[in-house]
Amino acid sequence: MMQQGKSSSSGSEMQVTWEDQQNINTFSRLNNRFHELEDDIKFAKEKCDNLEDAGNELILSDEEMVRFQIGEVFAHMPREEVETKIEEMKEATCKSLEKLQQEKESIVSQMAELKKVLYAKFKDSINLEED
Amino acid sequence: AQMSSSSPSGSGGDDLSERRGIPAAKFIQDVETYLSQSGFDSNSALAFHQERLQQYKVVEMKLLAQQRDLQAKIPDIEKCLEVVATLEARKGTGEVELGCALILTACFKTFSLKDLISMLACEIEHVVSQNIVLASLEESTETSLRVSLLADFEVSEGIYSRACIEDTDSVCLWLGANVMLEYSCEEATALLKNNLENAKASLEVLVADLQFLRDQVTVTQVTIARIYNFDVHQRRVNQVTPTAIAAADA
């Protein structure tokens, strides 16, 4: 992340204070969390879509007993029960998806702030972009 | 990393000299002072910190593997809890749907008339709580007694089999190491909830460990860059001075 003694930098000693170090550490943490969140969001979105599709399939089908997956087995359940369960799961997943997206937005703005501060101090000597 | 007791300190890992066996990377205020005080020259200092970095990476790999294990374990436990909860909810919901004429048909198919009459002579609840599975009837399917839970489970890839799970007060839990133990539903739920809490707590600690570790990695990387830059700067300064003197002499 820190460019090592590139000729473009004046080769001058860039003083790094403890505060700078902490900012860099925080930025690194945020960046990691950001990538984790991206994966989590993708996963949650998929789950939400699957539940949506399942719900629609259920409406279209006319079976009385539906096989609903619990753990590793498919349990035979009456249709209304399955409908209720799917609704509950959909709500829970969508809520957690929202929370994840909110966290992601907050992290993005925090990272933008830190970028401003760090670039102001270090200019070319630091690289905070994704490779 | 060995488990040594971590020094008590304020919130945030910044002031810890180590955490659960992971040594903290000391922040260097000034590179020149550090080099002269430690007696390192640039190259040996760089080598030292590079090695530290490698050691951190090894620990990071280990922690990441542990994190993956825990992250797989938690949904597993949640699934088990769901199964136990479903079984508990289904208890006693089996209903008897019998039409009189149809009973006689059922008799011929599966039970002798005598048996069925004596069963019906007992309390209806008793019949309900017993799991009488009637083989599929060609004439009518409405005489089937609803058992607690019908489940299709995978026997092998793509091949499923049907299981009739009776009303039960107990479940068996796989504890690992080829050991399976029978528990009452309440005990099983309590045990699984406990395991889930422990797993979540361990995951939290692990995530904190990883954050601490990554901070130390970042500090070390920055230190390496600073020592390198300092070295480059020193070399440039040393190069310039003799030339300037030569020019002054000329």
Side-chain angles (χ1 to χ4, degrees):
Chain A
M1 185 173 61
M2 282 282 253
Q3 292 178 342
Q4 293 186 348
K6 287 269 177 71
S7 55
S8 60
S9 83
S10 56
S12 63
E13 238 178 292
M14 188 71 40
Q15 285 299 3
V16 179
T17 64
W18 176 231
E19 201 192 318
D20 296 326
Q21 181 66 72
Q22 283 180 308
N23 281 342
I24 297 173
N25 284 356
T26 312
F27 185 84
S28 178
R29 277 198 199 193
L30 288 174
N31 196 25
N32 282 333
R33 182 73 190 130
F34 174 74
H35 287 296
E36 275 176 26
L37 276 177
E38 290 221 303
D39 287 339
D40 287 346
I41 287 179
K42 197 175 92 167
F43 191 67
K45 229 167 182 276
E46 241 184 85
K47 198 165 168 204
C48 218
D49 289 341
N50 283 344
L51 287 171
E52 184 77 43
D53 289 342
N56 292 341
E57 276 295 321
L58 197 57
I59 298 175
L60 293 172
S61 89
D62 53 359
E63 287 170 39
E64 182 46 48
M65 280 300 214
V66 186
R67 272 167 280 202
F68 182 76
Q69 182 178 26
I70 303 182
E72 309 274 309
V73 303
F74 294 93
H76 290 230
M77 280 196 178
R79 198 149 149 222
E80 309 83 48
E81 234 182 285
V82 177
E83 269 176 13
T84 327
K85 281 214 162 170
I86 291 200
E87 275 309 309
E88 284 174 18
M89 283 170 74
K90 237 199 303 187
E91 228 190 281
T93 313
C94 286
K95 236 198 262 176
S96 88
L97 180 66
E98 237 184 84
K99 248 176 59 184
L100 288 173
Q101 279 170 330
Q102 278 175 351
E103 198 187 336
K104 180 174 147 186
E105 280 170 28
S106 127
I107 286 189
V108 166
S109 64
Q110 282 180 57
M111 276 168 65
E113 272 307 306
L114 278 175
K115 268 193 187 177
K116 263 198 273 181
V117 172
L118 288 171
Y119 277 141
K121 166 112 191 236
F122 292 112
K123 305 189 222 322
D124 277 341
S125 303
I126 194 169
N127 175 26
L128 297 169
E129 308 304 320
E130 299 286 329
D131 18 54
Chain B
Q2 318 107 298
M3 305 286 264
S4 43
S5 55
S6 48
S7 44
S9 116
S11 58
D14 298 326
D15 299 299
L16 287 175
S17 62
E18 59 94 58
R19 185 195 156 104
R20 305 209 329 150
I22 308 170
K26 226 172 167 319
F27 177 71
I28 298 172
Q29 293 295 346
D30 177 54
V31 177
E32 194 161 8
T33 327
Y34 167 72
L35 287 178
S36 56
Q37 272 182 352
S38 63
F40 277 137
D41 71 324
S42 298
N43 282 333
S44 40
L46 281 174
F48 171 75
H49 285 281
Q50 293 277 21
E51 210 196 306
R52 262 298 184 81
L53 199 62
Q54 290 314 311
Q55 289 170 340
Y56 283 143
K57 289 287 179 190
V58 167
V59 178
E60 189 178 359
M61 291 289 112
K62 202 175 74 148
L63 288 181
L64 281 174
Q66 283 177 354
Q67 185 186 28
R68 273 193 295 268
D69 284 342
L70 275 175
Q71 279 174 334
K73 207 167 150 192
I74 288 179
D76 249 2
I77 303 179
E78 285 172 345
K79 275 190 221 171
C80 289
L81 269 172
E82 215 189 319
V83 172
V84 177
T86 311
L87 284 175
E88 272 193 304
R90 304 287 274 172
K91 256 193 276 194
T93 59
E95 286 165 12
V96 180
E97 290 173 349
L98 298 169
C100 279
L102 298 165
I103 297 176
L104 296 173
T105 330
C107 293
F108 281 117
K109 292 285 172 186
T110 51
F111 304 100
S112 75
L113 187 53
K114 206 168 93 183
D115 283 345
L116 196 53
I117 289 178
S118 65
M119 277 193 291
L120 287 173
C122 309
E123 291 155 9
I124 291 292
E125 290 92 63
H126 192 53
V127 172
V128 166
S129 67
Q130 278 184 334
N131 272 300
I132 307 166
V133 179
L134 298 174
S136 61
L137 305 167
E138 293 125 35
E139 265 95 335
S140 161
T141 53
E142 277 155 356
T143 53
S144 59
L145 292 167
R146 272 207 243 137
V147 301
S148 182
L149 196 64
L150 270 178
D152 293 340
F153 63 98
E154 200 173 18
V155 177
S156 168
E157 176 108 30
I159 302 175
Y160 290 79
S161 175
R162 188 155 293 176
C164 301
I165 305 174
E166 310 175 342
D167 259 1
T168 179
D169 290 322
S170 68
V171 291
C172 295
L173 293 179
W174 178 265
L175 299 179
N178 281 337
V179 174
M180 184 179 256
L181 218 55
E182 187 174 355
Y183 292 91
S184 75
C185 281
E186 296 81 33
E187 282 178 336
T189 311
L191 178 74
L192 286 171
K193 283 205 171 128
N194 197 25
N195 285 354
L196 189 64
E197 291 312 312
N198 289 344
K200 286 189 172 165
S202 299
L203 189 62
E204 255 183 65
V205 172
L206 196 69
V207 167
D209 282 348
L210 265 172
Q211 282 187 330
F212 174 80
L213 184 66
R214 290 209 174 108
D215 279 352
Q216 307 321 306
V217 166
T218 311
V219 171
T220 311
Q221 286 173 327
V222 170
T223 304
I224 290 175
R226 286 166 72 201
I227 297 175
Y228 188 86
N229 283 351
F230 174 78
D231 190 45
V232 167
H233 178 72
Q234 281 298 81
R235 284 177 205 273
R236 289 230 178 114
V237 165
N238 292 339
Q239 269 178 353
V240 168
T241 335
T243 335
I245 296 172
D249 279 352

